[in-house]
């Protein structure tokens, strides 16, 4: 079994990599938010595109028990796929943005 500390390191590594990607439009900053005490990790976009405010969570991941809960995933490749590539078993990843009654139809954990 992979340790919780390994989960933390992998999640931080993935979010840090994504934080280096600059959007093609506007003056947007990619902001990392790591809450180590509560095991909540986010990548938030903040800034402006012309006169329009840009703000939102691109990626939000929580560690709960022995599972990685993907609360929000605004990436094309899918954070769950990256976690699996890094050695995280699918049964330890919850696609929390999916309705609970639909999670059974994915390859990932239902809780």
């Amino acid at each position: 079994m992979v340790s919780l500390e390994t989960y933390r390191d992998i999640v931080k590594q993935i979010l840090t990599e994504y934080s280096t990607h600059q959007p093609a439009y506007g003056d947007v900053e990619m902001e990392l938010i790591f809450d180590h005490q509560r095991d909540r990790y986010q990548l938030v976009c903040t800034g402006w595109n012309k006169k329009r405010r840009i703000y939102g969570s691109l990626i939000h991941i929580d560690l709960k028990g022995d599972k990685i809960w993907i609360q929000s995933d605004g990436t094309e490749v899918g954070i769950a796929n990256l976690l699996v590539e890094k050695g995280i078993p699918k049964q330890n990843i919850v696609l929390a943005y999916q309705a609970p009654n639909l999670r059974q139809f994915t390859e990932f954990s239902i809780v």
Side-chain angles (χ1 to χ4, degrees), residues 14-76:
I14 291 171
L15 267 62
T16 300
E17 169 63 29
Y18 266 91
S19 74
T20 65
H21 301 175
Q22 190 63 31
Y25 58 87
D27 182 21
V28 179
E29 179 182 338
M30 306 303 279
E31 182 177 324
L32 288 169
I33 302 172
F34 294 163
D35 181 349
H36 300 288
Q37 281 187 317
R38 293 173 192 84
D39 277 326
R40 295 191 172 131
Y41 305 90
Q42 289 191 57
L43 178 59
V44 176
C45 305
T46 61
W48 292 89
N49 183 21
K50 299 179 183 172
K51 294 182 181 184
R52 184 170 176 252
R53 176 70 173 155
I54 304 295
Y55 180 84
S57 177
L58 179 64
I59 303 167
H60 177 172
I61 297 173
D62 294 334
L63 302 182
K64 297 180 183 183
D66 63 346
K67 308 273 189 206
I68 296 176
W69 289 66
I70 303 173
Q71 303 291 354
S72 175
D73 182 358
T75 69
E76 288 184 31

